[in-house]
């Protein structure tokens, strides 16, 4: 019973924390929800697009952020009329890969523009709460306290993601739920949730690939195919759909990957000039290092599911590593996974105690 009740309690606490955060932000802007849609003053095309559909918009200085793109996508989540909607995006095919968040925020395309703005907030609030519950459930499975589940809503990367109306919270919540289901040997459910995570943010495919290799190398090949195959089918199927709906010259490549370590090196001078940026950069690299070490020395489904964020991180370009706001969002799931592995996973201790009992 504790395995169910405590995670639900942690999820409720996560819900209250997130609602409190939203209330504070909205109160400072006369409860106008567009403040979390992240539309900028310099976003000429998207600003005009939004102003033609919304009565009153809170604009951010200069450029906006991810939420502006998701707002456009949510007005046409199935790309029924891409020439009117997707054409406004900077990279239509790349942005449209991340389809789950706008589909949910728009109630599968049924909501109008004002409903979409609120829908984006509601989806992220629910994702933060359910992510906390899933993390708590995983902590209990690992032999730790359910209260480590608060590592999800207190994750600085996910809080930053909320502030710009991004899809990272939904992606991370689905990933944690997926790993939890795989821990419970619910292979189809786990694979489906990892598929949902990858459709929210394509980089989350690394979780599915890591889980696949963990299961495959341990002889659970049918389970591995279910866990890793469903995400690949979902992402591949949606990519084919995009090619059918969008012009052939649109690009699916993100442009955020480059030579190994180059993004870190290019930002070194900025880090040395700012103690906070240096601390966050070093901490992030350290956490990634611990993750790799754990995956090698004490391998588990959890560590293998998130370890591929390490090679992904060293390939990220300078703009992603430029500032804790960007890099913390890019590798946000790693922070929560780190807390679970280091503080919540007590299975080795339990084995040691049981073996020492005569």
């Amino acid at each position: 019973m504790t395995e169910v009740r405590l995670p639900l309690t942690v999820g409720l606490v996560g819900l209250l924390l997130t609602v409190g955060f939203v209330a504070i932000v909205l109160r400072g802007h006369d409860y106008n929800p567009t403040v979390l849609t992240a539309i900028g003053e310099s976003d000429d095309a998207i600003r005009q697009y939004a102003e033609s559909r919304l009565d009153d918009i809170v604009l951010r200085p200069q450029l906006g952020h991810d939420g502006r793109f998701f707002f456009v996508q949510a007005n046409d989540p199935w790309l029924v009329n891409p020439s009117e909607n997707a054409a406004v995006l900077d990279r239509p095919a790349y942005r449209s890969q991340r389809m789950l968040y706008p589909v949910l925020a728009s109630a599968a395309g049924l909501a109008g523009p004002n409903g979409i703005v609120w829908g984006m907030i509601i989806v992220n609030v629910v994702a933060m709460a359910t992510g906390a519950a899933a993390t708590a459930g995983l902590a209990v499975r690992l032999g730790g306290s359910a209260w480590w589940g608060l590592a999800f809503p207190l994750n600085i990367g996910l809080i930053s993601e909320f502030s710009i109306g991004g899809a990272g919270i939904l992606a991370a919540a689905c990933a944690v739920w997926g790993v939890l289901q795989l821990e419970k040997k619910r292979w189809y459910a786990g694979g489906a949730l990892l598929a949902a995570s990858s459709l929210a943010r394509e980089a989350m495919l690394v979780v599915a690939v890591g889980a696949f290799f963990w299961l495959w190398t341990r002889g659970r090949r049918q389970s591995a195919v279910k866990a890793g195959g469903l995400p690949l089918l979902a992402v591949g199927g949606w990519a084919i759909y995009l090619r059918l709906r969008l012009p052939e010259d649109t690009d699916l490549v993100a442009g955020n990957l480059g030579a190994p370590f180059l993004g870190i090196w290019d930002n070194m001078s900025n880090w040395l000039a700012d103690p906070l940026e240096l601390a966050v950069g070093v901490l992030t690299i350290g956490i990634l290092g611990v993750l790799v070490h754990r995956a090698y020395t004490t391998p588990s489904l959890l560590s293998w599911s998130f370890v591929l964020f390490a090679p992904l991180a060293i390939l990220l370009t300078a703009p992603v590593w430029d500032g804790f706001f960007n890099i913390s969002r890019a590798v946000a799931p790693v922070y929560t996974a780190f807390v679970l592995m280091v503080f919540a996973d007590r299975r080795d201790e339990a084995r040691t105690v049981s073996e020492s009992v005569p």
Side-chain angles (χ1 to χ4, degrees):
M1 187 64 70
T2 300
E3 189 174 350
V4 175
R5 284 184 177 177
L6 279 178
L8 289 177
T9 301
V10 174
L12 178 59
V13 173
L15 175 65
L16 295 176
L17 288 172
T18 308
V19 169
F21 167 76
V22 172
I24 291 172
V25 173
L26 293 184
R27 183 179 180 183
H29 296 84
D30 295 325
Y31 295 96
N32 188 328
T34 61
V35 66
L36 292 171
T37 312
I39 300 171
E41 294 177 348
S42 302
D43 297 326
D44 294 335
I46 292 182
R47 178 179 177 178
Q48 294 175 13
Y49 179 93
E51 288 176 340
S52 69
R53 289 162 171 79
L54 299 169
D55 297 329
D56 184 23
I57 303 174
V58 176
L59 296 174
R60 302 195 177 194
Q62 300 180 345
L63 287 174
H65 226 299
D66 286 10
R68 57 184 168 152
F69 301 122
F70 287 118
F71 172 75
V72 174
Q73 290 174 243
N75 277 275
D76 185 19
W78 306 114
L79 297 164
V80 175
N81 191 358
S83 62
E84 179 181 337
N85 298 284
V88 181
L89 303 174
D90 58 344
R91 290 173 287 177
Y94 167 62
R95 298 294 177 188
S96 297
Q97 289 177 120
R98 304 172 178 182
M99 55 81 70
L100 185 61
Y101 181 42
V103 166
L104 294 178
S106 66
L110 298 177
N114 289 296
I116 287 170
V117 172
W118 281 108
M120 291 171 64
I121 296 174
I122 292 170
V123 169
N124 273 341
V125 168
V126 173
M128 195 73 92
T130 55
T135 306
L138 193 51
V140 171
R141 295 281 301 184
L142 299 176
S145 169
W147 291 105
W148 289 116
L150 293 179
F152 192 94
L154 296 179
N155 184 323
I156 185 60
L158 298 182
I159 294 172
S160 298
E161 192 77 1
F162 204 125
S163 70
I164 60 166
I169 304 169
L170 177 62
C174 290
V176 176
W177 271 110
V179 173
L180 176 59
Q181 296 307 306
L182 295 180
E183 280 279 358
K184 295 180 177 181
K185 297 181 173 55
R186 298 171 181 170
W187 312 119
Y188 281 116
L193 284 162
L194 294 183
S197 176
S198 302
L199 287 173
R201 181 181 171 219
E202 72 288 341
M204 300 304 289
L205 268 175
V206 299
V207 179
V209 174
F212 170 86
F213 278 111
W214 164 259
L215 294 168
W216 186 272
T217 56
R218 276 143 187 82
R220 300 176 180 177
R221 297 189 174 183
Q222 290 186 352
S223 303
V225 171
K226 296 171 187 175
L230 289 177
L232 290 174
L233 284 174
V235 172
W238 182 252
I240 292 173
Y241 181 79
L242 291 183
R243 288 302 186 195
L244 295 175
R245 298 301 306 166
L246 295 173
E248 293 182 0
D249 59 350
T250 53
D251 191 2
L252 284 168
V253 179
N256 292 327
L257 300 179
F261 300 105
L262 185 60
I264 298 174
W265 176 256
D266 287 345
N267 278 291
M268 194 60 65
S269 60
N270 295 334
W271 289 5
L272 294 175
D274 189 328
L276 176 60
E277 299 292 354
L278 177 63
V280 173
V282 171
L283 178 64
T284 299
I285 294 172
I287 287 175
L288 290 169
V290 170
L291 182 61
V292 173
H293 180 263
R294 283 289 183 125
Y296 179 74
T297 59
T298 55
S300 66
L301 174 63
L302 176 64
S303 62
W304 274 54
S305 293
F306 291 95
V307 72
L308 291 182
F309 269 101
L312 176 64
I314 66 175
L315 294 174
L316 294 174
T317 56
V320 183
W321 278 98
D322 182 19
F324 75 89
F325 182 83
N326 290 325
I327 190 58
S328 68
R329 292 188 304 108
V331 299
V334 167
Y335 300 138
T336 297
F338 169 80
V339 171
L340 288 176
M341 283 185 292
V342 174
F343 300 105
D345 194 344
R346 294 291 177 261
R347 291 175 296 186
D348 286 338
E349 292 180 9
R351 270 195 297 270
T352 302
V353 171
S354 64
E355 290 171 358
S356 64
V357 175

